[in-house]
């Protein structure tokens, strides 16, 4: 399992993580006060106000639906609040102070901090495009490796 992106609020609290599994599929987990979202491949399950919804359809439990797809889900959820790249993330958090940020995303592989600033639509749009471009590159690498018959990420269990 390889950590790709971590989302942090200005206090340093983690609210988003994205991983790459051994097959090159992205796994996203977002947890905040209003609920949580777990996404894998073309499936996205959201829990809000006590209701679990998978791709628009209400389900009994996001956890139960996503666990068979993501064998490491228990581990990912139990470690959600810990910094996967402690040294760099602690540095990022220390340097967030004093800026009018809504949140930041840290792209581990690129050692890049992507800020989202309060009431700055232009900058936030650019930040969003940078993240989408990075995710596109990750998906592109998966396709290239699949075409060569190679493994893409580290084994998850």
């Amino acid at each position: 399992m390889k950590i790709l992106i971590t989302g942090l609020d200005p206090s340093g609290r983690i609210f988003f993580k994205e991983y790459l599994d051994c097959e090159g599929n992205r796994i996203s987990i977002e947890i905040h006060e209003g609920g949580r979202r777990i996404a894998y491949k073309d499936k996205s399950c959201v829990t809000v106000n006590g209701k679990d919804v998978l791709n628009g359809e209400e389900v009994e439990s996001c956890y139960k639906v996503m666990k068979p797809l993501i064998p490491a889900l228990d581990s990912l959820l139990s470690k959600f609040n810990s910094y996967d790249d402690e040294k760099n993330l602690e540095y990022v958090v220390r340097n967030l102070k004093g800026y009018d940020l809504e949140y930041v995303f840290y792209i581990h592989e690129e050692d890049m901090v992507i800020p989202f600033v309060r009431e700055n639509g232009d900058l936030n749009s650019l930040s969003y495009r940078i993240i989408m471009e990075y995710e596109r590159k990750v998906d592109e690498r998966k396709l290239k490796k699949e075409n060569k018959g190679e493994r893409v990420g580290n084994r998850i269990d």
Side-chain angles (χ1 to χ4, degrees):
M1 183 70 61
K2 178 180 176 183
I3 183 75
L4 296 176
I5 301 172
T6 301
L8 303 157
D9 71 12
S11 72
R13 186 183 62 83
I14 296 169
F15 68 89
F16 177 87
K17 284 189 176 182
E18 186 167 271
Y19 298 90
L20 190 67
D21 72 6
C22 65
E23 296 169 358
N25 299 304
R26 289 184 290 119
I27 300 167
S28 300
I29 301 174
E30 182 177 348
I31 300 176
H32 49 83
E33 294 161 7
R36 86 175 167 190
R37 182 180 69 85
I38 302 170
Y40 178 73
K41 292 186 178 180
D42 62 344
K43 301 206 180 316
S44 180
C45 200
V46 181
T47 303
V48 179
N49 298 327
K51 290 188 178 183
D52 291 12
V53 179
L54 174 69
N55 294 352
E57 300 289 324
E58 193 167 341
V59 294
E60 178 188 345
S61 162
C62 283
Y63 174 81
K64 287 181 181 178
V65 171
M66 300 305 277
K67 175 66 177 156
L69 303 172
I70 309 168
L73 186 58
D74 289 329
S75 174
L76 297 178
L77 291 172
S78 70
K79 296 176 187 174
F80 186 81
N81 292 316
S82 65
Y83 294 159
D84 295 274
D85 184 351
E86 197 161 331
K87 181 180 153 196
N88 286 338
L89 286 176
E90 284 180 355
Y91 175 80
V92 168
V93 170
R94 275 196 315 271
N95 288 291
L96 288 178
K97 310 279 189 267
Y99 292 97
D100 195 23
L101 299 173
E102 280 189 70
Y103 47 88
V104 299
F105 284 89
Y106 179 69
I107 299 177
H108 294 261
E109 187 175 48
E110 305 289 331
D111 192 25
M112 183 185 306
V113 176
I114 310 297
F116 284 80
V117 180
R118 296 187 207 297
E119 300 180 28
N120 191 329
D122 292 337
L123 179 60
N124 293 345
S125 177
L126 176 61
S127 294
Y128 180 75
R129 286 191 308 243
I130 290 169
I131 292 169
M132 292 298 101
E133 178 63 19
Y134 173 72
E135 290 178 331
R136 186 191 63 74
K137 285 180 186 177
V138 168
D139 292 342
E140 210 171 74
R141 281 193 306 236
K142 175 190 175 194
L143 289 174
K144 285 180 184 176
K145 289 188 177 201
E146 282 176 349
N147 291 337
K148 291 180 181 180
E150 299 175 13
R151 285 188 77 108
V152 180
N154 298 326
R155 175 116 183 104
I156 62 170
D157 292 314

